């Protein structure tokens, strides 16, 4: 039985107040929900389970904006790729649809997508992701997501935790590295020359 009727009449009435009755949704149904609830941060697990992220507070929003700005500035200066905010969704190889707080895709991979693919949820795993832990985030949940990114081809990922003043670094094919209160992070060979100053975040 379908969870959602895709007819226009039904689409206009579907909202998040019925989500508690939706155990699983298809990718097509997920896209409809996202279109009808543009102010909400939604993700889809590889098993088709809908996840609704709570809005962040002012401090987390401010920090996320800084991270995206610094990554964007580096990307535009180098011309090596494209930066994306948390409002952009990626379809991972395992079928999950995720929205990292900040992400980056190498230019040749972005250029390989058709104009139609670029308009919709991006059908690839980014090369680089940042997840920023907010006061409402469970660390274990974010760690699971970071492992999923790594296992689906993300080459470098940073889980930044201001609460613990630590960063977990996820590299493709490697164990997780944990840094205590680092002042800077290096983009390594994925983001050559990129240096993130964390002194205003911790």
């Amino acid at each position: 039985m379908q969870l959602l009727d895709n007819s226009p009449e039904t689409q206009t009435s579907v909202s998040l107040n019925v989500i508690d009755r939706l155990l699983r949704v298809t990718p097509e149904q997920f896209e409809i929900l996202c279109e009808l609830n543009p102010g909400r941060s939604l993700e889809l697990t590889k098993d088709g389970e809908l996840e609704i992220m709570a809005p962040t507070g002012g401090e987390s929003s401010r920090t996320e904006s800084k991270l995206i700005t610094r990554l964007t500035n580096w990307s535009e200066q180098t011309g090596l790729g494209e930066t994306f905010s948390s409002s952009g969704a990626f379809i991972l190889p395992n079928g999950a649809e995720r929205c990292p707080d900040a992400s980056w895709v190498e230019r040749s991979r972005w250029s390989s997508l058709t104009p139609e693919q670029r308009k919709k949820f991006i059908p690839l795993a980014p090369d680089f992701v940042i997840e920023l832990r907010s006061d409402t985030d469970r660390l274990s949940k974010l760690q699971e997501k970071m492992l999923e990114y790594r296992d689906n081809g993300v080459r470098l990922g940073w889980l930044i935790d201001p609460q613990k003043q630590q960063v977990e670094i996820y590299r493709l094919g490697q164990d997780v590295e944990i840094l205590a209160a680092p002042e800077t992070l290096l983009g390594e060979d994925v983001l050559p020359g990129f240096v993130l100053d964390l002194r205003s975040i911790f």
Side-chain angles (χ1 to χ4, degrees):
M1 185 176 79
Q2 282 192 327
L3 293 175
L4 294 177
D5 182 346
N6 289 348
S7 66
E9 294 80 5
T10 303
Q11 289 182 26
T12 57
S13 63
V14 175
S15 64
L16 288 179
N17 61 5
V18 299
I19 292 304
D20 59 340
R21 296 190 303 235
L22 303 179
L23 299 178
R24 297 178 188 278
V25 298
T26 67
E28 294 77 18
Q29 293 164 347
F30 177 69
E31 187 172 351
I32 292 172
L33 286 170
C34 291
E35 290 175 354
L36 295 175
N37 298 275
R40 291 282 191 170
S41 181
L42 308 176
E43 292 186 331
L44 191 68
T45 72
K46 64 181 178 63
D47 298 316
E49 297 170 347
L50 186 69
E51 295 185 343
I52 306 171
M53 274 62 70
T56 64
E59 193 63 39
S60 290
S61 178
R62 181 183 71 89
T63 302
E64 183 180 314
S65 178
K66 285 184 177 182
L67 295 173
I68 293 171
T69 297
R70 293 172 187 177
L71 182 60
T72 299
N73 288 343
W74 169 85
S75 186
E76 290 185 346
Q77 289 171 3
T78 62
L80 294 176
E82 299 293 340
T83 303
F84 301 88
S85 71
S86 58
S87 61
F90 291 85
I91 304 174
L92 303 182
N94 69 352
E97 303 192 27
R98 298 297 188 183
C99 306
D101 289 330
S103 54
W104 182 84
V105 175
E106 192 269 329
R107 180 164 297 282
S108 66
R109 299 181 69 224
W110 175 249
S111 299
S112 70
L113 300 177
T114 67
E116 189 63 25
Q117 287 175 317
R118 296 181 195 178
K119 292 178 183 178
K120 297 184 177 182
F121 298 156
I122 304 171
L124 51 76
D127 293 277
F128 169 72
V129 300
I130 298 176
E131 289 287 355
L132 175 68
R133 186 186 182 192
S134 69
D135 291 339
T136 59
D137 288 328
R138 285 190 296 116
L139 180 58
S140 61
K141 191 69 176 179
L142 289 177
Q143 290 169 329
E144 290 176 6
K145 188 184 294 188
M146 295 299 296
L147 289 172
E148 181 180 53
Y149 288 141
R150 185 195 66 184
D151 294 344
N152 277 268
V154 174
R155 297 161 59 199
L156 179 65
W158 296 339
L159 172 51
I160 300 175
D161 187 351
Q163 298 174 45
K164 290 191 171 186
Q165 292 198 331
Q166 73 176 26
V167 175
E168 297 183 12
I169 301 178
Y170 293 73
R171 300 179 180 93
L172 189 62
Q174 299 184 36
D175 293 334
V176 180
E177 180 182 5
I178 300 177
L179 303 178
E183 291 189 353
T184 59
L185 291 173
L186 304 180
E188 305 177 10
D189 60 340
V190 180
L191 310 173
F194 180 58
V195 180
L196 177 63
D197 189 339
L198 291 172
R199 287 173 292 184
S200 63
I201 295 175
F202 290 154

